[in-house]
Amino acid sequence: MKMEQGMQLVDGNGKFNVDGLKDFMTATEFAQSGLSYAIVAIIGSQSSGKSTLMNQTFHTNFEEMDAYNGRGQTTKGIWIAKCSDIDPFTIAMDFEGTDSNQRGEDDTAFEKQSTLFALAIADVVLINMWYKDIGLENAASRPLLKIVFQVMKRLFKPRKKTLLFVLRDHSKTPLEHLKTALLEDIEKIWAAVAEPETLSSAPLREFFNVEITALPHYEFQEEKFKEQVAQLRQRFVHSIYPGGLVGDREEVEPASGFPLRAEEIWKIIKDNRDLDLPAVKVMVATVRCEEIAGEKLKCFTTDEDWLKMKEDVQDCPVSGFGGAVSSILETYLSEYDREVVYFDQEVRNAKRQLLLSNALMVVRDAYDKMLFYLYSNTFDRFKTSLKQSLNEGKEYVAAIHFCSQSFMREFDRGCEDAAIQQSEWNGSKFREKLICDMLSEMIAKYEKQITHALAKRVESLLESGERDTWASIRNLFECNTEAAVSEFSDAAVSFNLNSSEIDTKSQHLREHARNVFEMKAREATDAERVTKRMMDRYITSLLLSSFSILFFIKDLGRILGFHRSSSLRILSIMAAMRFDEMPDQIEMVLYSSLMDRTVPDPSLPNTFMGASDTWEEVSPKATTLLKPEDCKSLWMNFIEKTKPMMTGARSRQDGRSRTRRYGGAGVAAAAAVAVAGPAAGIAIFLRSMRR
């Protein structure tokens, strides 16, 4: 018969042997038994043969008393051993005896602590007592029973225990008589123990399965003793099966949590706190589920298939990514579920969610990389396909519709392929970015179309400086912008945008058109360019109005001043951008303020030449390009540039012959203006003047 060596779990001073228990768990492989185990503890008076009974029943090797050396304390503290050749896996616990002379009458703390521990940790508690103590008021078993009952009544909802009374040295008294007497005694003790309010009427059977057996004298009837011990041993075979000796198994916890549970219960007892088994249960479940979750997370992060998938997705999209990763995750989640199935449900569910969250954090980077590749590749193929369709002569709206729908479906299929089943992730962020980029590509096309349609023509209309310039620009602006917006709206249907989104994008195109318009208008208001156009307009006006007869006119200065008014119109046109058809008075104000005075009178109060930055004479929708002060400065610069021409004209107004000569030059210059523009006319006129 193999004898299992025991180890001291708690020493005589109450120190819990943490390292020893870890070694015991490893050596016996207790943790691998799951829920298929039972724990049997024995309590009783000192020197009542507890260790002998455990060794004989469970084939353990606890130290026994040597009768030849006298009766005294043998077992100190709490010992633990594996029971040999019993199914299920059974742990035997041998406790220091109660009523110890060595500890004395006043040192009962350890006695009570060990009794509490036995009751909290064991499925079956053997109470070893002399049969002759039954019915005796001061027998050693009575204080022990009081302790047991008081503890159980303090527990809120205790797991039902089996109390197995072993009556030692049984002789002639019929066992049935002993059982009846003992049960009556137990009921009296139970009723006498103070009860919490919530358990005031709870019967004994709700807390205990009470079993009673008897054994003959070990020394005087050794063979019979061993025979009946063998029968007792058989009661522990299949003890956890229905009808077995072990009591309530509904809240049994996995064997792997035994070290934590035992240590925490002993700590609670030592700290003189109420024994709270539900709290211990949660604590054990928390620690063990965290440990198991940590193990599974480590296994996942080092899984070869996952590492290969993670490496591959760094370079390019991986077909079947979502299904493969989901399968790997499910493997370790299922392993976790199997290993924690018997721990507290709320705790194990919470730790499972934490395990999943941590695993998904590991996966997230690869998932995002996968979707980025999917988005990037889809967008590149969209642009290539769109360009090819247009090169083949397909209309833009039809091409954008076909390409966008085709590649969005392709992107959605890719997202489904990359989806992780255990997550709530989706490709919406990248899908929105893809749509946004496709729209941006489309909007850029219409922006380019608008720019091409407006820029040169706006510039040309501003250069012309005619009274209908702004009306022509508005018409140009409206026609080209609305045509682009209308076509964009037709194309945008491909992206399932709502009306407000389409309106927003359409407004963006209108703002772009206006920006192009404003940019060209502001370019045209450069001081040097405005002055040049004014000079060109002035000379052109002169040359096209029979310049040859001017030198016969007596009031030459008045006539030359008259032609300056055509240049003043340039200023009035460029002073502000007119976005509506509201009439304005800028030209009239400029004429009355500048044409009537070659040099404006600075003493005149509140004229347009004051410090104002805007024009009061235009619609609020108009945008100032040249402030009143700018117009005054440009006009004065223009006057200075035209003065030499007036002076030269007067000095040469001296007779018919010269008039004919200049008149011929004027006719030639006017003809050149009509054919080749102002520059050619001016060149001819100046050459004639030098002759």
Side-chain angles (χ1 to χ4, degrees):
M1 179 178 67
K2 180 181 178 182
M3 303 293 289
E4 295 290 344
Q5 186 67 40
M7 56 84 60
Q8 190 175 44
L9 182 64
V10 178
D11 66 18
N13 296 318
K15 182 179 179 181
F16 194 91
N17 189 357
V18 176
D19 294 334
L21 182 55
K22 288 181 180 179
D23 294 340
F24 175 83
M25 296 292 291
T26 301
T28 61
E29 298 182 345
F30 180 22
Q32 283 70 49
S33 61
L35 298 182
S36 183
Y37 72 94
I39 297 176
V40 181
I42 189 167
I43 58 177
S45 300
Q46 176 182 301
S47 305
S48 61
K50 299 188 303 300
S51 299
T52 300
L53 176 59
M54 296 298 279
N55 291 338
Q56 291 291 325
T57 305
F58 300 110
H59 301 171
T60 53
N61 194 23
F62 295 123
E63 184 179 1
E64 299 179 12
M65 182 188 70
D66 184 353
Y68 293 102
N69 291 326
R71 307 185 69 82
Q73 187 181 46
T74 303
T75 302
K76 294 182 179 181
I78 302 171
W79 289 72
I80 185 172
K82 175 187 176 183
C83 301
S84 178
D85 303 324
I86 290 183
D87 179 29
F89 193 109
T90 301
I91 294 295
M93 302 183 73
D94 191 14
F95 283 71
E96 179 179 318
T98 61
D99 194 23
S100 169
N101 290 329
Q102 280 75 9
R103 291 194 179 269
E105 293 182 3
D106 297 328
D107 188 10
T108 60
F110 188 84
E111 175 181 316
K112 293 178 180 178
Q113 289 169 352
S114 60
T115 302
L116 296 182
F117 186 71
L119 201 61
I121 202 73
D123 299 298
V124 179
V125 178
L126 302 181
I127 300 178
N128 195 58
M129 60 183 296
W130 307 111
Y131 90 97
K132 62 184 178 180
D133 285 342
I134 296 175
L136 298 180
E137 182 65 27
N138 295 317
S141 62
R142 294 186 67 85
L144 185 61
L145 288 176
K146 287 182 180 180
I147 291 174
V148 170
F149 293 161
Q150 286 172 350
V151 170
M152 292 304 294
K153 286 192 175 185
R154 290 213 318 269
L155 295 177
F156 179 54
K157 286 185 178 180
R159 184 159 65 89
K160 205 170 188 179
K161 305 287 182 179
T162 295
L163 295 183
L164 177 56
F165 289 85
V166 181
L167 307 181
R168 303 294 296 274
D169 298 352
H170 178 228
S171 59
K172 296 181 180 180
T173 305
L175 180 58
E176 291 303 318
H177 291 174
L178 294 175
K179 285 183 178 182
T180 301
L182 181 57
L183 286 173
E184 289 178 355
D185 202 21
I186 292 172
E187 291 286 355
K188 289 180 182 179
I189 297 172
W190 176 261
V193 173
E195 299 173 339
E197 289 184 17
T198 55
L199 301 176
S200 58
S201 60
L204 176 68
R205 63 178 176 274
E206 289 189 10
F207 289 81
F208 297 108
N209 294 321
V210 178
E211 300 279 344
I212 301 174
T213 190
L215 296 175
H217 199 288
Y218 175 61
E219 294 180 0
F220 302 145
Q221 298 174 287
E222 183 175 354
E223 290 300 322
K224 188 175 181 181
F225 176 87
K226 290 182 177 181
E227 179 182 332
Q228 293 191 17
V229 163
Q231 295 176 8
L232 176 62
R233 173 184 171 84
Q234 284 301 117
R235 299 194 64 183
F236 288 94
V237 176
H238 300 161
S239 62
I240 64 173
Y241 291 11
L245 187 61
V246 172
D248 183 7
R249 297 285 290 176
E250 291 183 2
E251 297 184 9
V252 65
E253 299 177 31
S256 61
F258 177 80
L260 291 170
R261 185 166 68 255
E263 182 182 3
E264 182 66 14
I265 290 174
W266 183 251
K267 184 175 185 299
I268 291 173
I269 293 171
K270 287 289 292 180
D271 290 346
N272 294 317
R273 290 180 288 169
D274 289 339
L275 186 60
D276 188 356
L277 285 181
V280 174
K281 176 182 177 181
V282 170
M283 182 279 298
V284 173
T286 299
V287 174
R288 281 299 297 143
C289 290
E290 282 181 355
E291 290 176 349
I292 294 169
E295 293 169 3
K296 299 312 168 187
L297 181 62
K298 183 177 180 180
C299 290
F300 170 70
T301 56
T302 56
D303 184 274
E304 292 183 0
D305 292 336
W306 156 245
L307 293 176
K308 180 68 166 57
M309 187 73 63
K310 179 182 177 182
E311 181 181 357
D312 291 346
V313 84
Q314 298 305 311
D315 300 321
C316 61
V318 177
S319 178
F321 173 85
V325 174
S326 298
S327 177
I328 298 170
L329 281 172
E330 187 58 34
T331 296
Y332 295 108
L333 289 172
S334 297
E335 289 182 5
Y336 170 86
D337 290 338
R338 286 194 296 272
E339 293 184 30
V340 303
V341 65
Y342 297 111
F343 287 112
D344 181 82
Q345 182 176 0
E346 185 175 346
V347 173
R348 70 176 188 252
N349 289 346
K351 298 307 175 182
R352 186 187 198 276
Q353 185 59 44
L354 183 61
L355 167 60
L356 178 58
S357 297
N358 290 334
L360 290 177
M361 286 176 64
V362 175
V363 172
R364 188 64 198 239
D365 182 66
Y367 175 80
D368 285 346
K369 181 77 72 175
M370 179 74 184
L371 261 64
F372 175 78
Y373 280 132
L374 180 61
Y375 142 77
S376 180
N377 292 346
T378 303
F379 183 56
D380 288 343
R381 290 197 299 275
F382 162 78
K383 290 191 293 183
T384 301
S385 178
L386 179 61
K387 183 177 180 180
Q388 182 179 349
S389 296
L390 295 175
N391 290 338
E392 293 172 355
K394 186 174 288 188
E395 292 184 357
Y396 187 80
V397 173
I400 200 77
H401 179 78
F402 171 78
C403 293
S404 62
Q405 295 295 308
S406 174
F407 286 100
M408 287 308 302
R409 285 194 296 270
E410 181 180 317
F411 177 81
D412 290 340
R413 287 194 296 270
C415 288
E416 290 178 5
D417 182 67
I420 308 297
Q421 295 176 5
Q422 294 84 357
S423 77
E424 296 179 355
W425 302 338
N426 57 60
S428 59
K429 178 179 70 174
F430 290 94
R431 194 179 198 277
E432 290 172 4
K433 181 171 177 56
L434 179 59
I435 291 175
C436 183
D437 287 353
M438 287 180 174
L439 281 170
S440 296
E441 187 80 5
M442 189 169 71
I443 289 173
K445 180 265 183 189
Y446 287 108
E447 287 178 346
K448 184 176 180 181
Q449 176 180 316
I450 289 171
T451 301
H452 179 75
L454 294 182
K456 289 295 183 183
R457 296 178 66 184
V458 168
E459 184 176 350
S460 176
L461 288 169
L462 289 171
E463 290 285 348
S464 69
E466 301 298 335
R467 278 196 171 91
D468 64 349
T469 291
W470 289 111
S472 299
I473 289 175
R474 285 196 299 270
N475 184 60
L476 176 70
F477 177 84
E478 291 294 332
C479 291
N480 286 277
T481 302
E482 292 309 313
V485 167
S486 177
E487 187 176 326
F488 166 79
S489 298
D490 292 340
V493 173
S494 305
F495 299 97
N496 297 320
L497 302 181
N498 58 44
S499 58
S500 64
E501 290 174 317
I502 293 177
D503 289 345
T504 299
K505 302 296 183 184
S506 298
Q507 185 60 32
H508 170 81
L509 289 177
R510 293 188 180 95
E511 290 173 358
H512 173 76
R514 178 160 174 161
N515 290 337
V516 171
F517 171 37
E518 289 192 13
M519 178 187 68
K520 288 301 176 182
R522 295 193 184 281
E523 287 177 0
T525 57
D526 175 74
E528 185 176 344
R529 295 180 65 175
V530 172
T531 302
K532 182 179 182 304
R533 287 205 301 277
M534 291 172 69
M535 289 297 296
D536 289 349
R537 175 62 61 85
Y538 178 61
I539 293 178
T540 301
S541 178
L542 287 173
L543 295 176
L544 293 177
S545 60
S546 301
F547 190 75
S548 58
I549 68 170
L550 292 179
F551 297 99
F552 296 98
I553 299 174
K554 184 177 181 179
D555 193 354
L556 181 61
R558 185 173 64 81
I559 297 301
L560 292 175
F562 170 78
H563 285 281
R564 287 174 177 160
S565 64
S566 62
S567 298
L568 188 64
R569 187 175 301 120
I570 297 291
L571 275 181
S572 70
I573 291 170
M574 298 308 301
M577 288 184 286
R578 281 75 158 183
F579 290 110
D580 55 31
E581 299 180 8
M582 296 294 293
D584 62 69
Q585 304 298 319
I586 291 180
E587 185 174 2
M588 184 182 72
V589 171
L590 287 173
Y591 190 88
S592 63
S593 301
L594 297 177
M595 283 298 296
D596 291 348
R597 301 177 182 84
T598 302
V599 179
D601 184 355
S603 66
L604 292 174
N606 300 323
T607 66
F608 84 98
M609 291 164 289
S612 176
D613 288 340
T614 59
W615 295 93
E616 297 179 359
E617 295 78 9
V618 295
S619 166
K621 293 184 179 180
T623 300
T624 297
L625 293 172
L626 295 173
K627 296 184 289 185
E629 287 186 350
D630 296 332
C631 289
K632 183 182 80 170
S633 177
L634 288 169
W635 183 253
M636 297 304 296
N637 187 41
F638 169 71
I639 293 296
E640 291 299 316
K641 286 182 177 292
T642 59
K643 277 182 179 180
M645 296 178 63
M646 295 183 67
T647 302
R650 287 193 181 95
S651 67
R652 290 169 177 77
Q653 194 180 31
D654 58 356
R656 287 176 72 89
S657 59
R658 290 184 66 186
T659 299
R660 291 193 187 98
R661 180 155 53 96
Y662 292 151
V667 173
V673 169
V675 175
I682 293 169
I684 293 174
F685 176 69
L686 292 177
R687 283 198 300 271
S688 300
M689 292 283 286
R690 285 195 292 271
R691 290 199 298 270

